[in-house]
């Protein structure tokens, strides 16, 4: 069993530390509002020109946002449904977005979204101005008002990874024949990826509501996960491993179950997106209303530090801007828990200083 770290009351800043080889870690510094007028933005993925595709969960609308903050509507995801609004306590709709690593050749983008029969992963083409050729790649992922997972990213191996929640049916997380409560791994055409541990889509299991995926430079996969009442988790994902839900929330001593690398009281996190930058994982916190910076050294996580606590409200997604030492952070203050008027969400740009942009 790997010992986990329970985060108590971490500070709001720290002195810079070093990575192996005396590379300096960066520090989050100045924050500016890059774009306003959003309503529950959720997924973000980069296009080769440095602009980003961003989707709104409830409206199913996709937008292109440039680094200058120019926002362009490009289309709506077909067949997407959502119950979420300012008056409905729900977390379904258009969730993760992933631009094909071969976009210059195939012009594919991938989305995970809720439909009438459940959650699904679909592919569309984007010619630089409009969406088309909607194709369902994987369906049959059970849905519920909550616990739909939804993060979608291509890994360094070229395969597509997706997080799925237990759809509030906790027994599904331990059922390796179910697509729920899992991290899935598939080809760009929607087939189970070669080398998956169970000859299926399932890459890891025993997850409650996994929300974030990020790879470090050594190719290790890290995942953030929303707990129930006690502990949220940061996990290091290994293929075929069982991460314990529902028998374990946080660390436990059950045989065959993998403990998290760090845990938080749910009041301090309710994590969503994560990203790696300069030796640290950055984790967006919804209920915790802060950006967590977690140093990582190999396969171990150090002491997390909270930044911007309470300053920008609920944080949903964080991604590093390619080629720049900055992060983009999406707020989620217009959902049911945020209770802010439609159009109140923002895209924030966070400057990282003192690092080497590793």
């Amino acid at each position: 069993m790997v010992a986990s770290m329970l985060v108590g009351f971490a500070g709001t800043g720290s002195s810079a530390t070093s990575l192996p080889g005396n590379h300096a870690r960066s520090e989050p510094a100045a924050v500016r509002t890059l774009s306003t007028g959003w309503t529950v933005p959720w997924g973000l993925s980069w296009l080769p020109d440095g602009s980003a595709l961003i989707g709104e969960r409830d409206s199913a609308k996709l937008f292109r946002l440039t680094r200058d903050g120019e926002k362009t509507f490009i289309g709506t995801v077909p067949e997407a449904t959502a119950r979420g609004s300012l008056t409905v306590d729900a977390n379904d709709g258009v969730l993760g977005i992933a631009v094909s690593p071969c976009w210059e050749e195939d012009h594919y983008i991938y989305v995970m979204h809720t439909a009438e029969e459940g959650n699904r992963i679909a592919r569309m083409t984007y010619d630089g101005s409009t969406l088309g050729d909607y194709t369902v790649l994987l369906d049959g992922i059970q849905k519920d008002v909550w616990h739909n997972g939804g993060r979608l990213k291509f890994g360094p191996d070229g395969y597509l990874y997706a997080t799925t929640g237990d759809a509030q049916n906790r027994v599904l997380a331990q059922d390796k024949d179910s697509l729920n409560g899992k991290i899935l791994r598939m080809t760009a055409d929607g087939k189970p990826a070669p080398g998956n541990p169970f000859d299926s889509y399932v890459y890891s299991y025993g997850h409650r509501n996994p929300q974030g995926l990020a790879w470090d430079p050594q190719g290790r996969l890290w995942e953030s996960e929303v707990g129930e009442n006690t502990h949220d988790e940061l996990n290091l994902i290994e293929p075929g491993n069982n991460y314990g839900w529902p028998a374990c929330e946080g660390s436990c001593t059950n045989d065959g179950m993998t403990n998290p690398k760090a845990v938080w009281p749910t009041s301090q996190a309710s994590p969503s997106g994560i990203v790696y930058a300069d030796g640290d994982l950055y984790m967006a916190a919804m209920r915790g209303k802060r950006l967590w910076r977690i140093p990582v050294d190999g396969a171990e996580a150090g002491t997390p530090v909270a930044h911007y606590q309470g300053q920008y409200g609920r944080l949903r997604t964080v991604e590093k801007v390619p080629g720049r030492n900055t992060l983009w952070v999406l707020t989620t203050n217009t959902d049911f828990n945020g209770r802010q008027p439609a159009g109140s969400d923002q895209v924030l740009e966070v400057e990282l200083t003192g690092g080497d942009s590793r």
Side-chain angles (χ1 to χ4, degrees):
M1 285 292 185
V2 178
S4 65
M5 175 176 295
L6 174 61
V7 178
F9 295 96
T12 57
S14 69
S15 59
T17 55
S18 295
L19 291 163
N22 295 318
H23 294 280
R25 295 184 190 272
S26 58
E27 292 277 340
V31 180
R32 74 181 182 104
T33 298
L34 179 68
S35 179
T36 59
W38 299 83
T39 302
V40 199
W42 211 103
L44 185 160
S45 189
W46 302 103
L47 288 163
D49 67 357
S51 63
L53 294 183
I54 299 176
E56 290 187 333
R57 186 189 69 191
D58 299 349
S59 70
K61 293 178 179 178
L62 300 188
F63 299 86
R64 184 173 184 169
L65 185 66
T66 70
R67 297 189 186 189
D68 296 327
E70 182 181 348
K71 177 182 176 182
T72 304
F73 170 68
I74 64 168
T76 301
V77 177
E79 302 183 31
T81 63
R83 288 160 288 187
S85 71
L86 296 181
T87 58
V88 178
D89 190 4
N91 192 12
D92 52 2
V94 173
L95 304 172
I97 302 172
V99 172
S100 167
C102 303
W103 187 85
E104 298 280 17
E105 292 77 39
D106 58 32
H107 285 243
Y108 286 149
I109 66 169
Y110 297 76
V111 295
M112 185 168 177
H113 71 85
T114 310
E116 288 296 334
E117 85 291 342
N119 292 308
R120 57 169 76 159
I121 296 169
R123 186 177 69 194
M124 294 179 286
T125 55
Y126 174 56
D127 64 7
S129 59
T130 57
L131 300 173
D133 300 325
Y134 174 87
T135 303
V136 178
L137 298 183
L138 179 64
D139 55 15
I141 305 167
Q142 290 189 33
K143 69 176 182 179
D144 202 274
V145 177
W146 289 97
H147 303 191
N148 291 304
R151 197 64 60 179
L152 199 63
K153 286 189 177 183
F154 277 95
D157 57 7
Y159 295 117
L160 184 64
Y161 292 72
T163 70
T164 68
D166 67 6
Q168 297 197 96
N169 184 359
R170 56 180 60 199
V171 299
L172 297 179
Q174 290 295 317
D175 180 358
K176 293 192 287 291
D177 293 326
S178 168
L179 296 173
N180 287 84
K182 309 295 189 297
I183 294 175
L184 309 178
R185 178 174 175 261
M186 68 195 73
T187 68
D189 292 327
K191 307 298 183 184
N196 281 356
F198 307 112
D199 295 322
S200 68
Y201 289 99
V202 175
Y203 191 70
S204 63
Y205 67 108
H207 300 289
R208 180 179 182 268
N209 192 18
Q211 288 279 296
L213 295 173
W215 287 263
D216 64 26
Q218 289 71 44
R220 287 180 286 257
L221 175 58
W222 299 83
E223 173 254 13
S224 60
E225 186 162 334
V226 179
E228 187 174 34
N229 299 314
T230 308
H231 292 138
D232 297 320
E233 300 178 357
L234 174 71
N235 290 301
L236 180 62
I237 301 301
E238 298 287 350
N241 280 19
N242 179 357
Y243 288 83
W245 180 255
C248 304
E249 181 185 357
S251 298
C252 67
T253 58
N254 294 29
D255 289 342
M257 295 185 177
T258 303
N259 280 335
K261 294 295 183 175
V263 298
W264 288 258
T266 54
S267 62
Q268 295 184 17
S270 292
S272 192
I274 57 172
V275 72
Y276 177 93
D278 289 344
D280 297 309
L281 289 168
Y282 288 87
M283 186 177 81
M286 295 178 290
R287 184 179 174 191
K289 298 181 180 180
R290 67 199 79 180
L291 183 67
W292 283 105
R293 179 167 61 94
I294 308 128
V296 292
D297 185 359
E300 300 304 321
T303 302
V305 178
H307 294 265
Y308 317 119
Q309 184 172 340
Q311 295 183 39
Y312 302 101
R314 293 163 55 79
L315 306 182
R316 170 71 67 177
T317 293
V318 55
E319 294 291 349
K320 188 175 185 297
V321 179
R324 290 187 182 178
N325 219 21
T326 54
L327 308 173
W328 280 11
V329 179
L330 309 183
T331 71
T332 186
N333 293 313
T334 56
D335 60 12
F336 179 84
N337 290 307
R339 299 299 180 98
Q340 296 299 309
S344 299
D345 279 319
Q346 307 174 72
V347 178
L348 306 172
E349 186 172 78
V350 178
E351 179 184 2
L352 302 179
T353 61
D356 57 8
S357 195
R358 280 162 58 112

